[in-house]
Amino acid sequence: MDWGQILSNTASSLIGPATIAYALAAIGLSVHFGYAGLINMGIAGFMAIGAYGYAISALTFGLPWWAGFLVGIGASIVFALILGIPTLRLRGDYLAIVTIAAAEVLRLLFLTGEFDDVTGSADGLSGYHASFRAANPIPDGTYGFGPWTYNANGWWVRILGIAIVAIVALIVWSLMRSPWGRVLKGIREDEDAVRALGKNVFAYKLQALMLGGVFGALGGIVYALPSAVNPGVYVTSLTFFVYTALLLGGAATIFGPILGSVIFWVLQTFLSNVLPALATSGILPVTSTQASTLRFVLVGVILMLIVIFSPQGILGNKKELTFVK
Amino acid sequence: MSSDVTPNAPRPKSTGLHSGPIQPGVAKVDPIIVADGIKRTFGGLTAVDVDHLEVPRHAITALIGPNGAGKTTLFNLLTGFDKPDAGTWSFDGQSLSGKPAYRVARMGQVRTFQLTKALGLLTVLENMKLGAKEQTGEKFWLSLFPGFWRRQEAAIEEKARELLVKFKLDAKEADFAASLSGGQRKLLEMARALMTDPTLVMLDEPMAGVNPALTQSLLDKILDLKDEGMTVLFVEHDMAMVRHIADWVVVMAEGRIVAEGPPADVMQNPAVIDAYLGAHQELDLGVVTGRHTADEVE
Ligand SMILES: Nc1ncnc2c1ncn2[C@@H]1O[C@H](COP(=O)(O)OP(=O)(O)OP(=O)(O)O)[C@@H](O)[C@H]1O
Ligand SMILES: [Mg+2]
């Protein structure tokens, strides 16, 4: 077994584009679920909207990269409105059902051959990088050290991604310490009580859905930035993975979603490297394909264990645990 | 009992609230709420069927009636939390029919809930601050920049602390509301409602679960509200308390208003005794259950 390679890959995933994308999506979910109590089970749909919005803008409409960002963000706001206006007046669990269904509908729309010209159906989309890479201020070459050695485009994606995470985290922090965030947390606890105090609960929930949806779309865009848009990514299990990252770190915290995503991807990368290696060297009595699927089983088990034993997450307030209903 | 509790001089009751002969639905000299033909059914059950009701301004009105009489349902209807099958009603001269709950609250008609709604994972102080109206910092874009709301927030916090002291919750301000006892939550909910500077306070069983020592001070708080110019409408099952603080009593049974009037009169009303109080209202509970005789109690 090549431990050097395994550890190097694992270390590299610390700042991988997927890690950054998950962090953004998990921050979006923290706004939905952690602060507003909205059970959004369709974060994968918001990510798909971002990724496709970005790629289609470039490929079909020839827009520059930043316009692609704006299209992705705008489309996610529209999606949030379409989802929210009919469902946010209903009880919380209905939103979960509607969002999971809407995300699936969306994915199938992207997947169907009907719109192949635009969406690339099952092949997805690729080759939309020209504008983004042309905007790269970093001169060509390879930079970094050890496991963190990337070319100019690799760094451009990572630096921009991390900057977006920082800005998004700052926005959430500013909002959640403000009276606006207080109303949102109040709604999470008991929306009728908040209504009785004269707050337009529906409007706040809609704002929260749009805000978190925009962050989810940004996650989707960052996911798509380095390589391609693959319809197989935006499935329901993506939603569950993002939830795992969120709950691992702490749902109603600023840094929890980021920490959770980092741990999630470091663990994923480590397992996806180490398990097949263990299988080939005969230590694990399974084939190496089975071994790489095994990590998803482990992720599922971890999600269950967190929810049962530590629902407030690593960074969550331990005091809250006493009062989890 | 602690010695610093000085017995309050009994405060005068408001009188002359109605005009015309006392009967269910009697007109008030200065009504704050006027309701007409309000009907709410759940399947085959008529929970509320009120022909006419006026609630007098600057007075304390008690709404009494047996379990299931429709008191809470009427509260829900008047505050926009439920929609009636039929009926119109107004608050302060403005029609409230079809207005959502948050608009009703903004107009100055605030309520509490029979099943207390403390916001568990917010601190006691945050619960209070949430109650304040027209906060600049509650607007999405402005909330991002504390410069816009910091001063208002400080003022709100000061007001919240004053109220918490009044309600003896100041020691708890940093605790999660979820850690409060049932009675403390009732107090918090009432204090939080007062943060909205209401003109009409509607309390659904504010005294349930509050210990007798605190009940007295809570009753005083309610009387204070009236002195401060607010109108109070409250639901209560304890007749002693109703007699003690209410200026006017409205009796409901099976969704209808069966009697109303000043407390002393209403409690002599045969319809009320029949519907609600039973024949033994003046007797000690032990007498009713036959554990001892009336003579022993005297
Ligand atoms: N959501 C509902 N669905 C069906 N029936 C309801 C509903 N809400 C209330 N009811 C019925 O309406 C009637 C009036 O209920 P309500 O809660 O108003 O009584 P109440 O006077 O507040 O009683 P209590 O003194 O016990 O609080 C009851 O018979 C109750 O079962
Ligand atoms: Mg009731």
Side-chain angles (χ1 to χ4, degrees), chain A residues 175 177-180 182-183 185-186 189-190 192-193 195-196 198-200 204 317 320 323, chain B residues 81 102 105-106 110 117 119-122 129-130 132 135 137-138 140 143 146 149 153 178-179:
Chain A
L175 285 170
R177 70 169 176 161
S178 79
W180 187 86
R182 186 162 64 214
V183 177
K185 288 179 250 179
E189 298 301 311
D190 191 323
D192 276 343
R195 220 170 252 136
K199 322 289 176 193
N200 185 350
Y204 280 95
N317 187 341
E320 289 182 9
F323 307 114
Chain B
F81 278 86
Y102 77 92
R106 282 185 191 175
V110 72
K117 292 183 184 297
L119 305 168
L121 294 186
L122 265 58
K129 290 199 283 190
L130 186 65
Q135 299 190 38
E138 288 182 351
F140 181 84
S143 75
W149 47 264
E153 178 82 356
S179 74

mmCIF file of all heavy atoms in Angstrom, chain A residues 175 177-180 182-183 185-186 189-190 192-193 195-196 198-200 204 317 320 323, chain B residues 81 102 105-106 110 117 119-122 129-130 132 135 137-138 140 143 146 149 153 178-179:
data_model
loop_
_atom_site.group_PDB
_atom_site.id
_atom_site.type_symbol
_atom_site.label_atom_id
_atom_site.label_comp_id
_atom_site.label_asym_id
_atom_site.label_seq_id
_atom_site.Cartn_x
_atom_site.Cartn_y
_atom_site.Cartn_z
ATOM 1 N N LEU A 175 -26.004 38.349 9.510
ATOM 2 C CA LEU A 175 -27.465 38.231 9.574
ATOM 3 C C LEU A 175 -27.910 37.600 10.883
ATOM 4 O O LEU A 175 -28.882 38.033 11.496
ATOM 5 C CB LEU A 175 -27.972 37.384 8.405
ATOM 6 C CG LEU A 175 -27.982 38.042 7.033
ATOM 7 C CD1 LEU A 175 -28.283 37.006 5.963
ATOM 8 C CD2 LEU A 175 -29.018 39.157 6.992
ATOM 9 N N ARG A 177 -26.545 37.474 13.820
ATOM 10 C CA ARG A 177 -26.420 38.214 15.074
ATOM 11 C C ARG A 177 -27.384 39.392 15.095
ATOM 12 O O ARG A 177 -27.490 40.107 16.078
ATOM 13 C CB ARG A 177 -24.990 38.715 15.244
ATOM 14 C CG ARG A 177 -24.696 39.792 14.253
ATOM 15 C CD ARG A 177 -23.429 40.524 14.505
ATOM 16 N NE ARG A 177 -23.279 41.453 13.396
ATOM 17 C CZ ARG A 177 -22.489 42.509 13.420
ATOM 18 N NH1 ARG A 177 -21.747 42.744 14.463
ATOM 19 N NH2 ARG A 177 -22.420 43.308 12.381
ATOM 20 N N SER A 178 -28.089 39.623 13.996
ATOM 21 C CA SER A 178 -28.963 40.797 13.904
ATOM 22 C C SER A 178 -30.385 40.434 14.319
ATOM 23 O O SER A 178 -30.726 39.262 14.452
ATOM 24 C CB SER A 178 -28.990 41.298 12.461
ATOM 25 O OG SER A 178 -29.857 40.480 11.689
ATOM 26 N N PRO A 179 -31.215 41.430 14.509
ATOM 27 C CA PRO A 179 -32.624 41.150 14.804
ATOM 28 C C PRO A 179 -33.298 40.308 13.714
ATOM 29 O O PRO A 179 -34.200 39.525 14.019
ATOM 30 C CB PRO A 179 -33.243 42.547 14.886
ATOM 31 C CG PRO A 179 -32.112 43.422 15.316
ATOM 32 C CD PRO A 179 -30.905 42.873 14.627
ATOM 33 N N TRP A 180 -32.842 40.432 12.473
ATOM 34 C CA TRP A 180 -33.416 39.588 11.409
ATOM 35 C C TRP A 180 -33.178 38.110 11.740
ATOM 36 O O TRP A 180 -34.097 37.285 11.637
ATOM 37 C CB TRP A 180 -32.771 39.935 10.061
ATOM 38 C CG TRP A 180 -33.394 39.240 8.884
ATOM 39 C CD1 TRP A 180 -34.476 39.665 8.175
ATOM 40 C CD2 TRP A 180 -32.968 38.008 8.277
ATOM 41 N NE1 TRP A 180 -34.754 38.771 7.157
ATOM 42 C CE2 TRP A 180 -33.850 37.748 7.206
ATOM 43 C CE3 TRP A 180 -31.943 37.094 8.534
ATOM 44 C CZ2 TRP A 180 -33.732 36.618 6.386
ATOM 45 C CZ3 TRP A 180 -31.826 35.964 7.727
ATOM 46 C CH2 TRP A 180 -32.710 35.741 6.669
ATOM 47 N N ARG A 182 -32.699 36.880 14.629
ATOM 48 C CA ARG A 182 -33.474 36.531 15.823
ATOM 49 C C ARG A 182 -34.890 36.117 15.429
ATOM 50 O O ARG A 182 -35.426 35.143 15.957
ATOM 51 C CB ARG A 182 -33.501 37.752 16.745
ATOM 52 C CG ARG A 182 -34.129 37.517 18.077
ATOM 53 C CD ARG A 182 -33.725 38.611 19.036
ATOM 54 N NE ARG A 182 -34.209 39.919 18.639
ATOM 55 C CZ ARG A 182 -33.543 41.054 18.839
ATOM 56 N NH1 ARG A 182 -32.370 41.047 19.433
ATOM 57 N NH2 ARG A 182 -34.049 42.210 18.456
ATOM 58 N N VAL A 183 -35.473 36.848 14.489
ATOM 59 C CA VAL A 183 -36.815 36.472 14.031
ATOM 60 C C VAL A 183 -36.767 35.073 13.412
ATOM 61 O O VAL A 183 -37.620 34.220 13.682
ATOM 62 C CB VAL A 183 -37.358 37.487 12.999
ATOM 63 C CG1 VAL A 183 -38.709 37.039 12.482
ATOM 64 C CG2 VAL A 183 -37.458 38.863 13.608
ATOM 65 N N LYS A 185 -34.679 32.587 13.972
ATOM 66 C CA LYS A 185 -34.540 31.554 15.000
ATOM 67 C C LYS A 185 -35.841 31.385 15.779
ATOM 68 O O LYS A 185 -36.203 30.279 16.171
ATOM 69 C CB LYS A 185 -33.385 31.897 15.950
ATOM 70 C CG LYS A 185 -32.020 31.727 15.295
ATOM 71 C CD LYS A 185 -30.890 32.095 16.259
ATOM 72 C CE LYS A 185 -30.228 33.376 15.836
ATOM 73 N NZ LYS A 185 -29.154 33.823 16.725
ATOM 74 N N GLY A 186 -36.543 32.490 15.978
ATOM 75 C CA GLY A 186 -37.839 32.411 16.641
ATOM 76 C C GLY A 186 -38.808 31.560 15.831
ATOM 77 O O GLY A 186 -39.526 30.721 16.376
ATOM 78 N N GLU A 189 -38.295 27.988 16.308
ATOM 79 C CA GLU A 189 -38.786 27.457 17.575
ATOM 80 C C GLU A 189 -40.302 27.325 17.582
ATOM 81 O O GLU A 189 -40.832 26.328 18.045
ATOM 82 C CB GLU A 189 -38.342 28.350 18.732
ATOM 83 C CG GLU A 189 -36.834 28.448 18.897
ATOM 84 C CD GLU A 189 -36.177 27.097 19.142
ATOM 85 O OE1 GLU A 189 -36.666 26.370 20.020
ATOM 86 O OE2 GLU A 189 -35.210 26.763 18.454
ATOM 87 N N ASP A 190 -41.004 28.361 17.148
ATOM 88 C CA ASP A 190 -42.474 28.304 17.139
ATOM 89 C C ASP A 190 -43.009 29.454 16.306
ATOM 90 O O ASP A 190 -43.010 30.598 16.756
ATOM 91 C CB ASP A 190 -43.025 28.398 18.564
ATOM 92 C CG ASP A 190 -44.515 28.083 18.604
ATOM 93 O OD1 ASP A 190 -45.233 28.473 17.664
ATOM 94 O OD2 ASP A 190 -44.951 27.430 19.566
ATOM 95 N N ASP A 192 -45.970 30.308 15.328
ATOM 96 C CA ASP A 192 -47.172 31.013 15.774
ATOM 97 C C ASP A 192 -46.844 32.074 16.817
ATOM 98 O O ASP A 192 -47.447 33.149 16.831
ATOM 99 C CB ASP A 192 -48.192 30.022 16.340
ATOM 100 C CG ASP A 192 -49.032 29.389 15.239
ATOM 101 O OD1 ASP A 192 -49.037 29.949 14.121
ATOM 102 O OD2 ASP A 192 -49.665 28.354 15.493
ATOM 103 N N ALA A 193 -45.899 31.751 17.683
ATOM 104 C CA ALA A 193 -45.511 32.738 18.691
ATOM 105 C C ALA A 193 -44.942 33.979 18.017
ATOM 106 O O ALA A 193 -45.224 35.107 18.436
ATOM 107 C CB ALA A 193 -44.481 32.132 19.640
ATOM 108 N N ARG A 195 -45.574 34.994 14.943
ATOM 109 C CA ARG A 195 -46.691 35.644 14.272
ATOM 110 C C ARG A 195 -47.470 36.516 15.260
ATOM 111 O O ARG A 195 -47.867 37.633 14.940
ATOM 112 C CB ARG A 195 -47.620 34.540 13.756
ATOM 113 C CG ARG A 195 -48.179 34.791 12.411
ATOM 114 C CD ARG A 195 -48.874 33.563 11.884
ATOM 115 N NE ARG A 195 -48.115 32.960 10.823
ATOM 116 C CZ ARG A 195 -47.899 31.664 10.702
ATOM 117 N NH1 ARG A 195 -48.383 30.822 11.592
ATOM 118 N NH2 ARG A 195 -47.209 31.215 9.701
ATOM 119 N N ALA A 196 -47.663 35.979 16.456
ATOM 120 C CA ALA A 196 -48.431 36.708 17.460
ATOM 121 C C ALA A 196 -47.724 37.988 17.881
ATOM 122 O O ALA A 196 -48.327 38.853 18.495
ATOM 123 C CB ALA A 196 -48.684 35.821 18.683
ATOM 124 N N GLY A 198 -46.400 39.966 15.669
ATOM 125 C CA GLY A 198 -46.521 40.916 14.569
ATOM 126 C C GLY A 198 -45.483 40.760 13.471
ATOM 127 O O GLY A 198 -45.274 41.686 12.698
ATOM 128 N N LYS A 199 -44.821 39.613 13.393
ATOM 129 C CA LYS A 199 -43.835 39.420 12.325
ATOM 130 C C LYS A 199 -44.473 38.649 11.171
ATOM 131 O O LYS A 199 -45.190 37.670 11.407
ATOM 132 C CB LYS A 199 -42.610 38.630 12.816
ATOM 133 C CG LYS A 199 -42.149 38.950 14.217
ATOM 134 C CD LYS A 199 -41.499 40.311 14.324
ATOM 135 C CE LYS A 199 -41.162 40.586 15.783
ATOM 136 N NZ LYS A 199 -40.817 41.976 16.032
ATOM 137 N N ASN A 200 -44.147 39.063 9.963
ATOM 138 C CA ASN A 200 -44.661 38.379 8.777
ATOM 139 C C ASN A 200 -43.833 37.115 8.522
ATOM 140 O O ASN A 200 -42.865 37.120 7.767
ATOM 141 C CB ASN A 200 -44.603 39.321 7.577
ATOM 142 C CG ASN A 200 -45.242 38.719 6.345
ATOM 143 O OD1 ASN A 200 -45.578 37.525 6.328
ATOM 144 N ND2 ASN A 200 -45.407 39.521 5.320
ATOM 145 N N TYR A 204 -40.406 36.042 6.011
ATOM 146 C CA TYR A 204 -39.083 35.662 6.526
ATOM 147 C C TYR A 204 -38.671 34.282 6.019
ATOM 148 O O TYR A 204 -37.523 34.050 5.662
ATOM 149 C CB TYR A 204 -39.075 35.667 8.060
ATOM 150 C CG TYR A 204 -38.921 37.045 8.644
ATOM 151 C CD1 TYR A 204 -40.027 37.793 9.019
ATOM 152 C CD2 TYR A 204 -37.669 37.619 8.802
ATOM 153 C CE1 TYR A 204 -39.898 39.066 9.542
ATOM 154 C CE2 TYR A 204 -37.517 38.888 9.321
ATOM 155 C CZ TYR A 204 -38.638 39.610 9.691
ATOM 156 O OH TYR A 204 -38.503 40.874 10.199
ATOM 157 N N ASN A 317 -23.897 24.221 20.388
ATOM 158 C CA ASN A 317 -23.944 24.492 21.813
ATOM 159 C C ASN A 317 -24.392 23.233 22.559
ATOM 160 O O ASN A 317 -25.500 22.752 22.367
ATOM 161 C CB ASN A 317 -24.931 25.638 22.036
ATOM 162 C CG ASN A 317 -24.935 26.115 23.464
ATOM 163 O OD1 ASN A 317 -24.491 25.419 24.369
ATOM 164 N ND2 ASN A 317 -25.437 27.319 23.660
ATOM 165 N N GLU A 320 -27.755 23.028 24.264
ATOM 166 C CA GLU A 320 -28.985 22.818 23.502
ATOM 167 C C GLU A 320 -29.448 21.376 23.578
ATOM 168 O O GLU A 320 -30.630 21.083 23.502
ATOM 169 C CB GLU A 320 -28.764 23.180 22.023
ATOM 170 C CG GLU A 320 -28.616 24.654 21.801
ATOM 171 C CD GLU A 320 -28.455 24.990 20.335
ATOM 172 O OE1 GLU A 320 -28.631 24.094 19.490
ATOM 173 O OE2 GLU A 320 -28.160 26.160 20.042
ATOM 174 N N PHE A 323 -32.252 20.163 25.559
ATOM 175 C CA PHE A 323 -33.618 20.554 25.239
ATOM 176 C C PHE A 323 -34.090 20.031 23.890
ATOM 177 O O PHE A 323 -35.123 20.440 23.396
ATOM 178 C CB PHE A 323 -33.735 22.078 25.257
ATOM 179 C CG PHE A 323 -33.240 22.694 26.518
ATOM 180 C CD1 PHE A 323 -32.127 23.507 26.531
ATOM 181 C CD2 PHE A 323 -33.885 22.422 27.714
ATOM 182 C CE1 PHE A 323 -31.671 24.065 27.700
ATOM 183 C CE2 PHE A 323 -33.437 22.976 28.889
ATOM 184 C CZ PHE A 323 -32.319 23.798 28.888
ATOM 185 N N PHE B 81 -55.699 33.923 13.939
ATOM 186 C CA PHE B 81 -55.044 32.617 13.883
ATOM 187 C C PHE B 81 -55.962 31.543 13.315
ATOM 188 O O PHE B 81 -55.545 30.430 13.046
ATOM 189 C CB PHE B 81 -54.547 32.196 15.271
ATOM 190 C CG PHE B 81 -53.226 32.817 15.612
ATOM 191 C CD1 PHE B 81 -53.166 34.076 16.179
ATOM 192 C CD2 PHE B 81 -52.046 32.164 15.323
ATOM 193 C CE1 PHE B 81 -51.944 34.668 16.467
ATOM 194 C CE2 PHE B 81 -50.825 32.747 15.603
ATOM 195 C CZ PHE B 81 -50.770 34.002 16.175
ATOM 196 N N TYR B 102 -50.324 38.356 11.922
ATOM 197 C CA TYR B 102 -49.258 39.314 12.207
ATOM 198 C C TYR B 102 -49.719 40.757 12.033
ATOM 199 O O TYR B 102 -49.271 41.659 12.731
ATOM 200 C CB TYR B 102 -48.021 39.015 11.347
ATOM 201 C CG TYR B 102 -48.092 39.455 9.914
ATOM 202 C CD1 TYR B 102 -47.625 40.712 9.538
ATOM 203 C CD2 TYR B 102 -48.620 38.630 8.923
ATOM 204 C CE1 TYR B 102 -47.682 41.127 8.223
ATOM 205 C CE2 TYR B 102 -48.676 39.031 7.610
ATOM 206 C CZ TYR B 102 -48.213 40.280 7.263
ATOM 207 O OH TYR B 102 -48.273 40.690 5.963
ATOM 208 N N ALA B 105 -51.602 41.728 15.179
ATOM 209 C CA ALA B 105 -50.674 42.052 16.262
ATOM 210 C C ALA B 105 -50.066 43.432 16.055
ATOM 211 O O ALA B 105 -49.890 44.193 17.002
ATOM 212 C CB ALA B 105 -49.584 40.989 16.351
ATOM 213 N N ARG B 106 -49.751 43.767 14.800
ATOM 214 C CA ARG B 106 -49.143 45.077 14.546
ATOM 215 C C ARG B 106 -50.087 46.219 14.862
ATOM 216 O O ARG B 106 -49.661 47.318 15.164
ATOM 217 C CB ARG B 106 -48.737 45.184 13.077
ATOM 218 C CG ARG B 106 -47.460 44.449 12.803
ATOM 219 C CD ARG B 106 -47.035 44.681 11.378
ATOM 220 N NE ARG B 106 -45.957 43.761 11.043
ATOM 221 C CZ ARG B 106 -45.438 43.660 9.827
ATOM 222 N NH1 ARG B 106 -45.897 44.411 8.862
ATOM 223 N NH2 ARG B 106 -44.465 42.808 9.595
ATOM 224 N N VAL B 110 -52.480 42.107 20.935
ATOM 225 C CA VAL B 110 -51.531 41.021 21.121
ATOM 226 C C VAL B 110 -52.147 39.951 22.008
ATOM 227 O O VAL B 110 -53.025 40.226 22.813
ATOM 228 C CB VAL B 110 -50.207 41.551 21.723
ATOM 229 C CG1 VAL B 110 -50.387 41.926 23.176
ATOM 230 C CG2 VAL B 110 -49.083 40.551 21.539
ATOM 231 N N LYS B 117 -46.140 29.326 24.571
ATOM 232 C CA LYS B 117 -45.179 29.240 23.474
ATOM 233 C C LYS B 117 -43.940 30.056 23.815
ATOM 234 O O LYS B 117 -43.808 31.202 23.431
ATOM 235 C CB LYS B 117 -45.813 29.758 22.183
ATOM 236 C CG LYS B 117 -46.925 28.857 21.664
ATOM 237 C CD LYS B 117 -47.454 29.381 20.361
ATOM 238 C CE LYS B 117 -48.635 28.574 19.856
ATOM 239 N NZ LYS B 117 -48.320 27.183 19.556
ATOM 240 N N LEU B 119 -39.983 30.461 23.182
ATOM 241 C CA LEU B 119 -39.085 30.070 22.088
ATOM 242 C C LEU B 119 -37.856 29.441 22.730
ATOM 243 O O LEU B 119 -36.925 30.122 23.147
ATOM 244 C CB LEU B 119 -38.739 31.294 21.237
ATOM 245 C CG LEU B 119 -39.999 31.997 20.716
ATOM 246 C CD1 LEU B 119 -39.688 33.346 20.142
ATOM 247 C CD2 LEU B 119 -40.707 31.121 19.685
ATOM 248 N N GLY B 120 -37.879 28.107 22.813
ATOM 249 C CA GLY B 120 -36.991 27.353 23.689
ATOM 250 C C GLY B 120 -35.510 27.625 23.535
ATOM 251 O O GLY B 120 -34.811 27.840 24.525
ATOM 252 N N LEU B 121 -35.016 27.613 22.293
ATOM 253 C CA LEU B 121 -33.574 27.749 22.109
ATOM 254 C C LEU B 121 -33.154 29.196 21.849
ATOM 255 O O LEU B 121 -32.092 29.456 21.295
ATOM 256 C CB LEU B 121 -33.077 26.823 20.996
ATOM 257 C CG LEU B 121 -33.206 25.328 21.314
ATOM 258 C CD1 LEU B 121 -32.576 24.478 20.234
ATOM 259 C CD2 LEU B 121 -32.608 24.982 22.663
ATOM 260 N N LEU B 122 -34.006 30.127 22.259
ATOM 261 C CA LEU B 122 -33.598 31.519 22.355
ATOM 262 C C LEU B 122 -33.488 31.829 23.842
ATOM 263 O O LEU B 122 -34.217 31.247 24.649
ATOM 264 C CB LEU B 122 -34.647 32.438 21.718
ATOM 265 C CG LEU B 122 -34.437 32.862 20.263
ATOM 266 C CD1 LEU B 122 -34.335 31.652 19.363
ATOM 267 C CD2 LEU B 122 -35.557 33.757 19.793
ATOM 268 N N LYS B 129 -36.706 40.534 23.361
ATOM 269 C CA LYS B 129 -36.355 41.512 22.331
ATOM 270 C C LYS B 129 -37.104 41.251 21.025
ATOM 271 O O LYS B 129 -37.409 42.166 20.275
ATOM 272 C CB LYS B 129 -34.842 41.516 22.105
ATOM 273 C CG LYS B 129 -34.098 42.113 23.291
ATOM 274 C CD LYS B 129 -32.695 42.554 22.948
ATOM 275 C CE LYS B 129 -31.760 41.380 22.861
ATOM 276 N NZ LYS B 129 -30.347 41.820 22.766
ATOM 277 N N LEU B 130 -37.421 39.993 20.802
ATOM 278 C CA LEU B 130 -38.177 39.645 19.605
ATOM 279 C C LEU B 130 -39.540 40.330 19.601
ATOM 280 O O LEU B 130 -40.110 40.598 18.547
ATOM 281 C CB LEU B 130 -38.346 38.121 19.550
ATOM 282 C CG LEU B 130 -38.983 37.541 18.305
ATOM 283 C CD1 LEU B 130 -38.095 37.775 17.109
ATOM 284 C CD2 LEU B 130 -39.231 36.058 18.492
ATOM 285 N N ALA B 132 -40.380 43.344 20.426
ATOM 286 C CA ALA B 132 -40.460 44.768 20.078
ATOM 287 C C ALA B 132 -40.875 44.953 18.623
ATOM 288 O O ALA B 132 -40.460 44.207 17.747
ATOM 289 C CB ALA B 132 -39.120 45.446 20.340
ATOM 290 N N GLN B 135 -38.750 47.008 14.225
ATOM 291 C CA GLN B 135 -37.301 47.016 14.386
ATOM 292 C C GLN B 135 -36.631 47.155 13.015
ATOM 293 O O GLN B 135 -36.868 46.356 12.123
ATOM 294 C CB GLN B 135 -36.837 45.720 15.052
ATOM 295 C CG GLN B 135 -37.411 45.511 16.435
ATOM 296 C CD GLN B 135 -36.759 44.350 17.161
ATOM 297 O OE1 GLN B 135 -35.561 44.137 17.058
ATOM 298 N NE2 GLN B 135 -37.563 43.584 17.888
ATOM 299 N N GLY B 137 -33.599 46.570 12.367
ATOM 300 C CA GLY B 137 -32.699 45.439 12.164
ATOM 301 C C GLY B 137 -33.401 44.169 11.735
ATOM 302 O O GLY B 137 -32.754 43.165 11.474
ATOM 303 N N GLU B 138 -34.729 44.196 11.680
ATOM 304 C CA GLU B 138 -35.440 43.012 11.218
ATOM 305 C C GLU B 138 -35.652 43.040 9.709
ATOM 306 O O GLU B 138 -36.221 42.120 9.139
ATOM 307 C CB GLU B 138 -36.781 42.874 11.953
ATOM 308 C CG GLU B 138 -36.590 42.466 13.402
ATOM 309 C CD GLU B 138 -37.890 42.270 14.160
ATOM 310 O OE1 GLU B 138 -38.955 42.605 13.617
ATOM 311 O OE2 GLU B 138 -37.817 41.783 15.305
ATOM 312 N N PHE B 140 -34.178 42.721 6.030
ATOM 313 C CA PHE B 140 -33.069 41.907 5.543
ATOM 314 C C PHE B 140 -31.814 42.722 5.251
ATOM 315 O O PHE B 140 -30.755 42.498 5.837
ATOM 316 C CB PHE B 140 -33.500 41.133 4.295
ATOM 317 C CG PHE B 140 -32.420 40.251 3.741
ATOM 318 C CD1 PHE B 140 -32.211 38.990 4.263
ATOM 319 C CD2 PHE B 140 -31.593 40.687 2.719
ATOM 320 C CE1 PHE B 140 -31.202 38.181 3.773
ATOM 321 C CE2 PHE B 140 -30.586 39.876 2.222
ATOM 322 C CZ PHE B 140 -30.394 38.620 2.750
ATOM 323 N N SER B 143 -30.323 44.754 8.172
ATOM 324 C CA SER B 143 -29.804 43.957 9.278
ATOM 325 C C SER B 143 -28.319 43.662 9.111
ATOM 326 O O SER B 143 -27.611 43.403 10.071
ATOM 327 C CB SER B 143 -30.578 42.643 9.387
ATOM 328 O OG SER B 143 -30.180 41.762 8.352
ATOM 329 N N PRO B 146 -24.966 46.883 11.290
ATOM 330 C CA PRO B 146 -25.413 47.193 12.649
ATOM 331 C C PRO B 146 -25.586 48.682 12.890
ATOM 332 O O PRO B 146 -26.354 49.079 13.759
ATOM 333 C CB PRO B 146 -24.297 46.645 13.534
ATOM 334 C CG PRO B 146 -23.520 45.712 12.683
ATOM 335 C CD PRO B 146 -23.710 46.128 11.264
ATOM 336 N N TRP B 149 -29.124 49.738 13.235
ATOM 337 C CA TRP B 149 -30.057 49.276 14.274
ATOM 338 C C TRP B 149 -29.472 49.214 15.677
ATOM 339 O O TRP B 149 -30.176 48.897 16.633
ATOM 340 C CB TRP B 149 -30.659 47.916 13.895
ATOM 341 C CG TRP B 149 -29.694 46.866 13.417
ATOM 342 C CD1 TRP B 149 -29.396 46.571 12.129
ATOM 343 C CD2 TRP B 149 -28.913 45.953 14.211
ATOM 344 N NE1 TRP B 149 -28.485 45.543 12.058
ATOM 345 C CE2 TRP B 149 -28.174 45.147 13.332
ATOM 346 C CE3 TRP B 149 -28.783 45.731 15.583
ATOM 347 C CZ2 TRP B 149 -27.305 44.143 13.757
ATOM 348 C CZ3 TRP B 149 -27.918 44.733 16.014
ATOM 349 C CH2 TRP B 149 -27.188 43.948 15.103
ATOM 350 N N GLU B 153 -31.615 48.788 19.120
ATOM 351 C CA GLU B 153 -31.429 47.529 19.831
ATOM 352 C C GLU B 153 -31.119 47.785 21.309
ATOM 353 O O GLU B 153 -31.645 47.096 22.193
ATOM 354 C CB GLU B 153 -30.287 46.741 19.164
ATOM 355 C CG GLU B 153 -29.943 45.430 19.819
ATOM 356 C CD GLU B 153 -30.866 44.289 19.412
ATOM 357 O OE1 GLU B 153 -31.843 44.536 18.671
ATOM 358 O OE2 GLU B 153 -30.615 43.158 19.857
ATOM 359 N N ALA B 178 -36.142 27.379 27.166
ATOM 360 C CA ALA B 178 -36.502 25.979 27.373
ATOM 361 C C ALA B 178 -36.195 25.528 28.792
ATOM 362 O O ALA B 178 -36.751 24.537 29.261
ATOM 363 C CB ALA B 178 -35.764 25.093 26.371
ATOM 364 N N SER B 179 -35.305 26.245 29.476
ATOM 365 C CA SER B 179 -34.944 25.819 30.826
ATOM 366 C C SER B 179 -35.901 26.372 31.883
ATOM 367 O O SER B 179 -35.774 26.046 33.055
ATOM 368 C CB SER B 179 -33.507 26.258 31.143
ATOM 369 O OG SER B 179 -33.485 27.655 31.377
#
